[in-house]
Amino acid sequence: DTEKPRPCLTNLPKQEACGASNGADNRPASQYSQLDWFPYAPGTAPGICSGRYIEPASISSDEGTDILDQPIIINAEQGSSSLGQGTKLEGSVDIAQGNRRLQSESATYDQVTGQLELNGGASYREPGLLLRGETAVANTNTLETTLTGAQYVMHERQIRGDVERITRRQDESILIEKGSYTVCPPGDEAWKLQASEIILDKSSGFGLAKHAALRVADVPILYLPYFYFPIDDQRHTGFLYPSISMSNDDGASISTPYYLNLSPQMDDTIVPHYIEKRGFLLENEFRYMNQYTHNTLTTAFLPNDNLEDRDRWLFSFVQPGRWTDKLTSEINYIHVSDNDYLDDLSTLADIDGDSHLSRIGRVTYTEELWQADFLLQGYQTVDEDTDRPYQRLPELTFNGDTDNNERIMNAALIAQATNFYRNNSGFTGIERANGGRLHLEPEIYANFVKPWGYIKPSAKLWYSNYNLTDADDFDSNPSTSVPILSIDSGLVFERNTEFVGTTYKQTLEPRLYALYVPYEEQSGIPDFDTTEYNFNYQSLFRENRYSGYDHIGDTQQVSLGLTTRLFSDLGRETLSASIGQAYFYSDRKVTLDDDESNYSNGDSSDIATAINWRANKRLDLSIDANFDHSAFRNTENNLSLRYRADENRIFNMNYRYAEGIREQSTFGFMWPVDKNWSTLGVWQYDWFNKNDVDLAFGVEYESCCWQTRVIVRNWLKDDDDKDTALYVQFVLKGLGNLGSNGGSSLLEKITGFKQRDDNNETF
Amino acid sequence: CGFQLSGYQPLPESARHVSLILTSDTPANLERALKTSLRKQGVLITADAPYTLAIRNVQQNRRSITIDSNANVDEYEMLMQVTFEVMNRDQQSVSGELSAFTEKILDYDADKETASATLQRTIKREMWQTLADRIVRQYIARAQ
Amino acid sequence: LPDDRKKPIHIAANSAQIDENSGITTYTGNVLITQGTMKIKAAKVNLYQKNNDVNRIVATGSPASFSQQASANQAITDAFGQRLEYQVDQQTITITGNARVEQDKNQFSGERIVYQMEKSLVNAYSGEGNSGQRVQMIIQPKAK
C-alpha cells in the first residue's frame, strides 16, 4: 500500500506512536516515547528522576464486565476474513479487547481457536503494562499473550527490561524468559538483574528470578540461583530487602530474605544469611494474626559458628493479645544460645534490654476504676559481670482508684503479692535473700476540684510484709507499716498574652504539696525492686523518693512549685515552664542499702526547673535543670532539642550534665544538600572524660534508581576499646540493598526511634 | 499583671461525648491514661458521638543516651510519640494529623535490673498520662 | 444457499424502465429483489442482462442492503453500503461507501468491501489518505 503522509518521525508502527486513531495521545515526543518514557522539562522534575512513564489515554471500556465478555474490536488498513474462521489483517493493525490492546504491522486471527498472531513489530498494552517486541502470539479466549525479542514496562513502579520471550499469563502474572529487570530509566544502565527466568506477580506484589545475575554498571557482581523481591508499592511491612555487606570480623555476608504471604492473617519470612567467617545462619520469622492476638515466632540457627566453634541459636515468641476490651495479655519470651549472640549476629526479633533479656508473661484485666494484673517475669543474663536480677515468679497486682472529680470522698488501693527469686550464689548479706512480699497501700483522699484550683488531702497506709528465705542473720519476716499523710493543692490563674507574635492563653499555677511520712527502721529489708528516683521537678511531688515497694522514704516536707503554660487556641500546649523546691522539717534517715543518696539532708532540697517549648510541629525543646539550694550552682541539667521537618530533615541534640557524675552530649543530624546529595552524622562526646564516644559522618547520593551511602564511624565499643568501621551501602531501589546496614543503630541516635532494617526508603 | 483566677469554661456541648478509636497495638497504659484524662475533663466515652478521637500510631522507644566509663548503658532515654486525629460524625478529619511527643531520662543500673524495670514502669505511666492530657486537651479544642 | 442461483428472481419496485438497446433495467423506489435466500433492498437498482440472463446488479441507497445465507450451517450474512455491485457469475459483491458486512453478530466495516459468496470470504480495504475510513472488524465474544 502507498506510503501515507504521517507527521511523525519515529520508525515504529506509524499509526501507534503518532497518536492512535482511537485515543488522543497528547504526550510530548521523546526519544523513548515508544517505551512511554517522557522526560520532564528542565527544572520542573518534582523528584530525583528526570522523567516518568505516561500511558496513552486508554480507550474507555466498561470496567465492570469481565474481559472475556467484551467484544474484540480490530482496526487495520486492510483485512480479509473467511467468516467465522481465519482473518488476515494488514497495515497498522490495532486489536482491542476490554482495556487490553495489541498492535502490529500485520496480524492473523483464527476466530475458532481465538489464536492471534502479530508480526512486523508487535506491542501489547493493558493498564500499567506495556510489552513491545518483534512478534506476538495471543489468544482471545485464554487472555495469554507472548512476545519475543521484546522490551517491557510496568509504569507504576518504573520497572522495565529487555527479554527474549515474555508472556502475560492468564493469572495476570508475567513470565520472562532470558530477560532483564531494572527500575532505572531507559538509557540508564546503573544496575539490572538478568535471569534465565523472572516471574512478576502483580497480585502478590513480588517478583521471583531464577539463575539471576546482578549487573551493576554492566559488570556482573553477584549470581543468585533464586532471588525474591517486591515489585509494587504495597508496603510489605517487615519485608527485608536482600543485602550484602563486608566487615572485618565477619568477612562478606549475604542475606536474601523470602517473604511468603501465606494468607491475610499469616506470613513468614525466611532469611538465609551466609556469613563468610561464621557459616550459614537461617532465621525464620513466622507471624500469625487473629482478632485477639498478634503472634510473632522468631527462630534462628547457625550450625557450628567457625569463629566460636559452637552452634548458635535464638528463640523468641512475642504475643500481645486483646481478648476483650477489658482483658489484655502479653507474652514476650527470648532465649539466645550464648551471651555474645546479639553482639555478633543481627536478628529480626525485637530485643528489649542489653545486659539482661527480659521474659514476661502477663494478663491484665482493666475495669473503669480498677485494674488487676498477673505477671511472670524472668531474665536471661548475657552480661556476666552484672548482678543477676530478681525474677518475679509470679507477681499479682491490684490497683483501684475511685478518682472522680465529681465525688469529694475517694479511695484508692494498691495491693501486690510477689514471689522474688534469683540464684543467690555469690551474693552476701541481705542480697542473698529471696522470698515473697505482700504490699498494701490503702488510701482515702478528698478531691475538691474547681476550675480555679484544687485541694487534695490524703491519708494512706504503706504496708509491706516479707517471707524471706536465705535471710541469714536478718529477720526472715520483716514488715513495715508507715502512714503517709499528704495535702496536694494548687491554684490556676489565667490571662491572654502575646508570645513571639501570637496570642496565647497563659496560666500561672502555684502548687503546694505537704507530705508527712514518719521514720521506721527498714535496714533489714532487701531491695527487691527499689531504687532511687532521679531528683527533678516531678520528684518534688512524689510520696516516696524511692521507686518500688521495699522502702518508704521518711520525710516531713513541703514542696512548692510554680508552673506557667501557654496554650494556643487549638489547645496545643506550646510552652510549659516550672520551678519548684522542697523544704524539710526533719532529717531523712531511710537510705537504700548501698547508701548512695543524692538527697542532701539540709533543710531544703535543690531547686528543680523544667521547661518544654513546642514552637511548632517541627521543633521540640525541653530543659530540666536543678540548682544547688544554697549556692544556686547548676547541679544537674538535661537539654533535649529535636527538630524534624520530615523524614530526611532531622536535627537533634541532647546534653546531659550531673555535677561530678557525668557530662555527655549527643548531636545527630540528617540533612539534604541538594536533590541528590544528603549528609548525616552523629557526634556523642563525653565531656567528663574528654572522650569521643561516637563519631560518625555519612554522605548519601540518591539517583533515580539507586542510592548509596558511605558512613565512617568510630565508636567506643568497650571501656577503652574503640572500633572504627566503614559502612558502604548501595540500595538498588525496588530490588535490595548491598552493603552492611550497621548504620541502623546510628539512625536510632539520629531519629530516636528504631528503624527496622527493611525500611529502605529512608535507609 | 492581668492574671485572675481562671473562670469556669464549660466543656463545649459537642465535646461532652466522644467515641474513641484505638489501633490493635495501642498500649493498655495509654488507653487507661486516655480514659482517666477524659473522665477528669468530664467527657463520656460513647459509641456514637459527634466527634471521634482516633489514635493512629503509637511509637515508643528506649535508647541509651549516656554511657558509663566502660561503655555500658548509664542512662536510657524513653521517647513516646502518638499521632492522632479528631474526626466528625461522618468520619471526616477536622484536625488533620496531630501528634503529641514526650521524652524522659531513665536512670539505669545493670546490677539492679528489677528495680530499674519498676522505676521505668512508673515513669512510663506518668509519661502516658502527660501524653493523654495533651491529646485530650487538643481534642476538646477541636471538638467545637 | 449455493443453489440460490437456480431460483427465479422476483423484483418489486415503485417504478421500472427498460433500456432496450443497452439491456439495462432500472428500478427505483423501495426496490426489493429476492432470489432464494438472497434479498437486496435499495432505493435504485440497475439490472444488467446478457443474452437474457442477469449477470450484474448494481444497487444504491442510503444504505442499500443485501442478505443471504451462504450455506446451510452458516448464519445469514448481511451487507450494507451506499453502492452494492453483485457480479452474478463470479458470485462476488463489492460494497463501497460506509461498507459494512455482518454475520452472526460479527461485524466488518471499511471504505470498500469485496464479499465472495461461495468461499464466504470478505476482503475489506480502508480509504485513501489519512481521513479515509479504516477497516474495522468487531467480533462478539462467544456465548458462554
Side-chain angles (χ1 to χ4, degrees), chain A residues 407-419:
Chain A
R407 209 184 6 261
I408 306 282
M409 287 314 295
N410 283 282
L413 171 67
I414 295 174
Q416 184 181 75
T418 316
N419 173 25

Side-chain angles (χ1 to χ4, degrees), chain A residues 286-337:
Chain A
F286 173 72
R287 293 191 304 182
Y288 167 70
M289 189 171 64
N290 59 27
Q291 74 193 117
Y292 302 112
T293 59
H294 286 233
N295 305 279
T296 307
L297 176 68
T298 311
T299 51
F301 185 65
L302 170 60
N304 191 8
D305 178 335
N306 303 331
L307 290 179
E308 310 284 331
D309 54 57
R310 54 156 295 164
D311 293 349
R312 314 191 75 188
W313 48 267
L314 171 141
F315 174 86
S316 149
F317 176 67
V318 177
Q319 181 205 76
R322 183 180 286 276
W323 304 89
T324 69
D325 59 13
K326 291 188 165 61
L327 185 66
T328 59
S329 71
E330 185 189 356
I331 297 173
N332 193 326
Y333 182 83
I334 174 83
H335 196 183
V336 287
S337 56

